[in-house]
Amino acid sequence: MPLSVLDPRSALIVIDLQKGIVSLPTAAPIEGVLGNARRLADGFRAKKLPVILVNVTALPPGRTDAKRVLRDQPADWAELVADLGQQPTDHLVTKRTPGAFTRTGLEDYLRDEAVTQVFVVGVSTSNGVEATARQALELGLNVVTVIDAMTDLQADAHEWSVSRVFPRISETASTDEVLDHLQRRP
C-alpha cells in the first residue's frame, strides 16, 4: 500500500547502518541503501522531525540455528557510518535485540516527542527492520517501511518481508515518495 499521509509528528528510524554490518555482503548494493537513508534523514531533519539512529552491539541470549555474527568483532564494528551525516539533534539508540524498542527507551522518547508515525529503514530487512516495524505497530504507531532504503543479507529473506510481511504491518513507500510528502509539508 502506498503512503497515504504523513502524520503531523513523524519520525525516521534507521536500523543498524553501522560499520560492521554495512561491510557484510547484502542482497541490494549497500551504497544505494545508504544514499536513500541519508536523503531521508536530511529530509526529516530539514522539517525538524526526529531522526533515530540505531546500532546493535549484542544479541539476546538463546540458541538459534543461524550463525551469530556479533562475536569477536573489531572495536569500531558498532559505529554508525559517516554516510548518515549524524547530527547533534539525532536520537541515538543502542539495541541488544533485533527490535529497536526492547529495553532501549525508544518508546518513551517517541511518546515524549508526540510521534504517531514511524518510517523504518536499514539492515536487515527480515530481522532488525522487520522486528522494529512489528514492535512499532504493536505499540499503536502508524508504520511506513521505505523499501528502497533497506536491504538484507539474503535476497529471498528481503523479498519475503517486502512482499508478504510489510503489506500486513505497514504502508510501504519509496524514498522519493516520502520526500515528496515531506516537501509538501509546511
Side-chain angles (χ1 to χ4, degrees):
M1 173 181 223
L3 177 60
S4 61
V5 66
L6 182 71
D7 287 6
R9 198 64 180 152
S10 300
L12 176 67
I13 302 176
V14 180
I15 302 294
D16 300 345
L17 293 181
Q18 61 193 63
K19 290 181 180 180
I21 292 179
V22 302
S23 68
L24 298 171
T26 55
I30 197 66
E31 296 79 16
V33 172
L34 291 172
N36 285 336
R38 172 65 183 261
R39 291 174 56 216
L40 289 164
D42 288 346
F44 274 74
R45 291 173 186 132
K47 295 297 182 176
K48 307 281 190 249
L49 293 171
V51 173
I52 298 100
L53 303 178
V54 180
N55 71 340
V56 61
T57 60
L59 293 174
R63 293 182 292 274
T64 67
D65 287 338
K67 178 183 174 193
R68 300 281 190 143
V69 297
L70 288 177
R71 294 193 177 118
D72 304 320
Q73 299 300 336
D76 67 348
W77 195 88
E79 287 180 20
L80 295 167
V81 295
D83 302 63
L84 295 175
Q86 184 177 339
Q87 298 296 309
T89 54
D90 295 343
H91 183 74
L92 305 178
V93 170
T94 295
K95 64 185 178 83
R96 290 163 188 85
T97 63
F101 286 92
T102 304
R103 296 183 300 278
T104 65
L106 179 55
E107 178 182 3
D108 293 334
Y109 170 77
L110 293 175
R111 289 201 196 288
D112 290 347
E113 293 291 320
V115 168
T116 59
Q117 181 180 42
V118 294
F119 292 74
V120 187
V121 304
V123 174
S124 89
T125 307
S126 67
N127 196 18
V129 173
E130 184 177 318
T132 300
R134 286 179 182 277
Q135 289 174 330
L137 180 69
E138 290 171 359
L139 293 170
L141 295 164
N142 295 315
V143 180
V144 180
T145 48
V146 187
I147 304 307
D148 61 354
M150 64 179 68
T151 190
D152 202 288
L153 303 180
Q154 300 173 5
D156 60 339
H158 171 81
E159 183 56 38
W160 180 264
S161 293
V162 167
S163 65
R164 301 293 186 168
V165 177
F166 291 159
R168 296 177 64 198
I169 65 172
S170 71
E171 291 183 315
T172 58
S174 69
T175 298
D176 287 341
E177 188 178 0
V178 174
L179 292 174
D180 181 57
H181 277 264
L182 281 170
Q183 289 173 354
R184 287 187 271 139
R185 182 187 170 98

